[in-house]
Amino acid sequence: MNHTFGEAVLVARGFSHGLVVMAMLLLVWTTAVFAQDAPFVLRVIEADATAFPTVRLTVYTADEGFAPLGDPTQFRLRENGVPIESLLFEQVPYGIDALIVLDANDQLDEVDEANGVTRQQKVAAALQDYVNIQYDAETDRLSLMVPAEEEADEADEPAVYGRFLLDHASDGDEIVAAVANYEGSLPALTPLDEMLEEAIARQAAGERNRFRPILLLTDGADLGEQLRFRMLTRLAREAEVPLYVGILGQTADFTEVTNSNELSGSTNGETLHVPQPDALTPLWARWQRQSVAWQISYQSELRAEGEILLSASLGAGEETAVSAEPVQAVFEVILEQPTVEIVLDDTDIVREGSAPDSPLATLLPDSLLVPVQV
């Protein structure tokens, strides 16, 4: 499946060798190709030429399991077709947009052990671990969907099956409290199919260059009757949204695991059995790895006006095991005449002679250095 992304415009000014440089990013595009076509997806997040001739390119990478590229030396850059040999790499925080769908049915307040801890309390404890260890409040955002309690007010309004307890939340305490204090009606069956469809549509409308997973937390008992697997997985793949399933409860039988894998497996997600809160720790760690992006910087050797084509790719022939469809950014560099300004302080300029009537030509000092700023 192919996706083409739209324009982004960047105007930058900086000083270089006495010339004012204007660099404009006219177009960023890429084709996203999944598993069978290329192991990695590569997209330009941002191109920064404000310090030209230093150019910085921030890129999103994801393999078929949505894991980011581990070795940055696999990047290849070309400027107007010429390979750039000297590249600097840095991982920068970029964040994720995660959405948790809570199948809040009558099993949510079930107690599986003698300690009296309910499944709802375990979910709250798992989220507490997440915000304590992995969550970055500066860049990460988390939404939480539960079954809607009320129907639409107007007859002509579309039906809504899920409601957001949290909507792109960044506050860790708010995230944990939303689950811990939830007091829904807990029906025998939730409209889970419709909720997931709404959740996928929500994530599909998000920023495509951010990791946008959906985690379904459910007892899993009725997924086979509740879900239209083929439709949901198709929508998720088209939106590049991985579906993860956490099966709550002390046991997870063959049917529950099989149904959960049908949802997660074809979207490059994962199924986890969650008898205790720490069962989600590996997933939180994976999400944390997705929240950083690679920033590549280099010194441009170009000093002439005109259009600059910057091409980024992964791998080169048989040199590496990774590859991805190349991405391109087009810059226009305009060189303007420098502005020269004489910079003088408030000190008086004094020239002296040996006599009151000394000729001007004999006064000292006979020359003066004047600072000039370009």
Side-chain angles (χ1 to χ4, degrees):
M1 66 186 159
N2 297 336
H3 300 282
T4 302
F5 301 89
E7 294 187 352
V9 178
L10 169 71
V11 179
R13 288 181 179 269
F15 290 99
S16 173
H17 300 282
L19 296 174
V20 178
V21 179
M22 296 177 60
M24 180 173 292
L25 174 61
L26 298 179
L27 180 64
V28 177
W29 62 269
T30 181
T31 302
V33 183
F34 272 84
Q36 277 74 27
D37 300 302
F40 270 87
V41 172
L42 174 64
R43 296 197 192 103
V44 173
I45 296 174
E46 181 183 21
D48 179 10
T50 55
F52 192 88
T54 299
V55 178
R56 295 181 177 87
L57 199 67
T58 305
V59 295
Y60 167 87
T61 61
D63 67 8
E64 59 190 29
F66 291 91
L69 180 70
D71 181 7
T73 62
Q74 310 299 330
F75 284 112
R76 303 289 184 266
L77 286 185
R78 290 176 175 268
E79 192 177 58
N80 283 352
V82 178
I84 302 169
E85 301 297 336
S86 182
L87 301 174
L88 298 177
F89 305 102
E90 181 183 5
Q91 282 192 309
V92 295
Y94 194 67
I96 69 171
D97 292 328
L99 196 162
I100 295 177
V101 176
L102 185 59
D103 184 13
N105 60 24
D106 57 6
Q107 298 297 304
L108 191 62
D109 59 0
E110 188 79 11
V111 176
D112 297 307
E113 298 113 14
N115 59 14
V117 178
T118 67
R119 295 176 182 179
Q120 180 176 344
Q121 291 171 324
K122 290 179 180 180
V123 172
L127 288 176
Q128 184 70 70
D129 291 341
Y130 177 45
V131 300
N132 285 348
I133 300 172
Q134 306 291 354
Y135 196 68
D136 187 339
E138 295 294 324
T139 58
D140 295 340
R141 297 293 177 265
L142 189 141
S143 301
L144 176 63
M145 176 186 281
V146 296
E149 296 287 338
E150 299 178 358
E151 298 182 358
D153 293 335
E154 302 294 338
D156 57 349
E157 288 186 8
V160 176
Y161 297 92
R163 67 183 178 95
F164 286 98
L165 285 184
L166 297 171
D167 188 5
H168 291 104
S170 61
D171 183 85
D173 292 337
E174 179 187 6
I175 291 170
V176 176
V179 176
N181 300 328
Y182 175 64
E183 296 180 350
S185 59
L186 303 185
L189 283 178
T190 64
L192 192 56
D193 185 79
E194 292 83 358
M195 289 170 62
L196 283 171
E197 186 176 1
E198 291 172 2
I200 294 169
R202 168 64 173 270
Q203 295 297 79
E207 186 178 344
R208 218 171 185 92
N209 291 333
R210 284 167 67 92
F211 183 54
R212 295 161 294 126
I214 292 175
L215 169 62
L216 168 62
L217 293 175
T218 177
D219 64 278
D222 299 297
L223 296 184
E225 291 74 35
Q226 287 177 289
L227 302 184
R228 294 170 292 171
F229 291 101
R230 185 173 298 179
M231 183 272 293
L232 291 173
T233 54
R234 175 181 58 81
L235 293 176
R237 287 195 303 269
E238 290 175 354
E240 299 172 27
V241 172
L243 302 178
Y244 297 87
V245 182
I247 304 175
L248 304 176
Q250 195 62 27
T251 62
D253 64 30
F254 176 80
T255 300
E256 292 167 356
V257 173
T258 300
N259 287 334
S260 298
N261 283 338
E262 187 170 352
L263 195 64
S264 64
S266 61
T267 63
N268 294 318
E270 184 180 4
T271 295
L272 301 95
H273 177 215
V274 189
Q276 300 297 334
D278 59 3
L280 286 172
T281 300
L283 179 62
W284 303 147
R286 174 179 293 188
W287 284 9
Q288 194 276 334
R289 291 194 297 272
Q290 310 285 13
S291 68
V292 295
W294 283 109
Q295 187 177 85
I296 313 166
S297 60
Y298 72 96
Q299 296 296 312
S300 175
E301 297 296 330
L302 300 176
R303 297 297 184 268
E305 287 190 335
E307 195 171 79
I308 298 176
L309 177 63
L310 182 62
S311 178
S313 61
L314 288 173
E318 299 180 356
E319 293 181 19
T320 65
V322 301
S323 63
E325 293 296 309
V327 293
Q328 296 179 332
V330 179
F331 294 87
E332 182 180 8
V333 175
I334 302 173
L335 304 182
E336 297 180 345
Q337 292 298 321
T339 301
V340 180
E341 180 182 358
I342 297 176
V343 181
L344 296 174
D345 56 27
D346 295 332
T347 304
D348 294 333
I349 299 174
V350 179
R351 300 179 66 200
E352 298 178 343
S354 58
D357 58 350
S358 296
L360 289 176
T362 64
L363 298 181
L364 298 175
D366 56 1
S367 63
L368 183 67
L369 291 178
V370 178
V372 175
Q373 178 175 295
V374 179

